[in-house]
Amino acid sequence: MTGTVYLVGSGPGDPELLTVKAKRLIDEADVVLHDKLPGPEILEAIPEEKREDVGKRADGEWTPQEYTNRRMVELAEDGDDVVRLKGGDPTVFGRGGEEMVHLAENEIAFEVVPGITSAVAGPEVAGIPVTHRGHASSVSFVTGHEDPTKDESAIDWGALADTGGTIVVLMGVGKLPDYTAALRESGMDPETPVALVERATRPDQRVAVGTLDTIVDVRDEEGIEPPAITVIGDVAGERERVKAFLRNERLDDGLEATDDA
Ligand code: SAH
C-alpha cells in the first residue's frame, strides 16, 4: 500500500500553536521530513528515529528541493505515511505549491494541513494587527529575498507603497536596506513605522521598532537575524499603545526589557 503525504504547517514556533490535526498527524506519521523553521521546541518533541532533516546540511548547503521531492515520493511508495512539516503555513513562501504538483505528478495521494503563518502571527504577537479599521484596509505579503535593484525584480515596491496598506516582508532581514530605500524613493513617508519581529512566538522572541528611515540602524544595533518578519505601515505604531499590557513575550530577557525601561 502506498502511503499518504501530509503537507503540514507547524505554525510560527510555539508548540501550542500547532493545530490539533498537525499534532495528531505528527504522532501517527512514520516519517517527518522537516527543515529548521518549525523551531527547536516542536522538532525536539518528535521522536528522533522518525525525524529527517531536509533543511540546511552540516556543510552549510541547503538540501536541494529535488531531493526533498524525491524523498517524499520514495517514502510514500515504500508504504510510509509522511508528514512534510513546514514552518508557518505550507503554502506561504513554503514551496507547498511545488510539492503538491510533484506529488500529483507522481500519483501520490496527499493532504494539505494549513498552519498559522508567521506573516500574520509574527506582527500580531508583537501587538501589531496587519489590518486595522483606521489604518490599513489591505495587506501585502512579500518576499524580501529578491534584489530590488535587479531589473527583473518581480516586486514593484512603488505599487505596494501606493496601496496605502500594510506591507509584511518575509525573508527580509538581509535585504532590508534595499527595499526600505526602494520604498522611500517611491515616495513613502520616511517616518512610516516599521517593526522587526524575530523568532516570533518562540521563547527568545524579540521585537525591534523604528521608522522607514531608522530601521536599518535598529536592525544593526540590535543584531536582528532571520527568521524575522518586517512589518511596514501605520499599524506598526499600534504596538506602542498596547505593549505595556501585552503578555506575548514569553521571556523577559529580550529587547522588551530595554524597550520598556
Ligand atoms: N511558510 C512560512 C514562511 C516561510 S519563508 C510561514 O507561513 O510562516 C521563511 C520566512 O518566514 C523567514 O525568513 C521569516 O521571514 C518568516 N518566519 C517564519 N517563522 C518565523 C518566526 N517564528 N518569526 C519570525 N519570522 C518567521
Side-chain angles (χ1 to χ4, degrees):
M1 272 273 284
T2 307
T4 304
V5 175
Y6 300 90
L7 299 176
V8 179
S10 71
D14 179 349
E16 292 196 309
L17 294 177
L18 275 167
T19 62
V20 175
K21 188 162 188 171
K23 179 91 179 70
R24 175 176 63 79
L25 290 170
I26 290 169
D27 289 344
E28 291 173 0
D30 297 303
V31 184
V32 178
L33 293 178
H34 66 86
D35 45 45
K36 296 283 190 299
L37 201 56
E41 287 178 287
I42 289 176
L43 297 177
E44 281 159 18
I46 303 170
E48 208 167 335
E49 56 277 13
K50 69 177 185 187
R51 265 194 265 149
E52 253 185 65
D53 189 344
V54 289
K56 213 166 231 168
R57 299 191 312 233
D59 59 7
E61 293 296 311
W62 291 96
T63 304
Q65 183 64 39
E66 297 71 42
Y67 173 83
T68 307
N69 287 351
R70 205 165 53 234
R71 190 76 185 125
M72 286 190 300
V73 171
E74 187 175 275
L75 288 164
E77 283 175 345
D78 281 350
D80 286 333
D81 284 329
V82 181
V83 163
R84 170 71 180 104
L85 190 66
K86 292 164 171 295
D89 181 88
T91 63
V92 178
F93 298 117
R95 300 204 172 199
E98 289 164 57
E99 292 178 8
M100 283 195 257
V101 170
H102 185 79
L103 292 167
E105 283 177 355
N106 285 275
E107 301 180 356
I108 302 293
F110 67 94
E111 186 171 337
V112 190
V113 181
I116 297 177
T117 179
S118 65
V120 175
E124 187 170 59
V125 297
I128 301 168
V130 293
T131 69
H132 189 290
R133 206 155 53 88
H135 302 303
S137 342
S138 70
V139 52
S140 305
F141 299 119
V142 190
T143 170
H145 213 62
E146 286 207 348
D147 180 353
T149 58
K150 266 196 327 207
D151 289 345
E152 65 269 33
S153 170
I155 299 165
D156 183 341
W157 292 95
L160 288 175
D162 287 345
T163 65
T166 306
I167 302 173
V168 173
V169 188
L170 291 90
M171 298 174 280
V173 176
K175 296 247 158 62
L176 185 71
D178 303 81
Y179 61 84
T180 50
L183 288 168
R184 280 198 309 267
E185 279 157 26
S186 74
M188 188 182 255
D189 183 353
E191 295 301 314
T192 305
V194 181
L196 297 169
V197 187
E198 181 191 62
R199 294 190 295 273
T201 81
R202 299 196 200 164
D204 48 357
Q205 167 181 313
R206 295 195 301 162
V207 183
V209 184
T211 65
L212 201 55
D213 239 0
T214 65
I215 196 68
V216 174
D217 291 338
V218 172
R219 175 199 69 176
D220 295 343
E221 278 158 25
E222 304 299 349
I224 299 289
E225 287 182 5
I229 293 286
T230 312
V231 203
I232 304 166
D234 287 340
V235 290
E238 290 296 293
R239 170 178 167 78
E240 199 49 41
R241 301 171 58 184
V242 301
K243 73 173 188 197
F245 290 92
L246 186 63
R247 289 292 169 265
N248 283 88
E249 275 96 28
R250 292 165 72 202
L251 285 184
D252 57 5
D253 63 350
L255 277 184
E256 288 328 290
T258 39
D259 209 3
D260 287 335

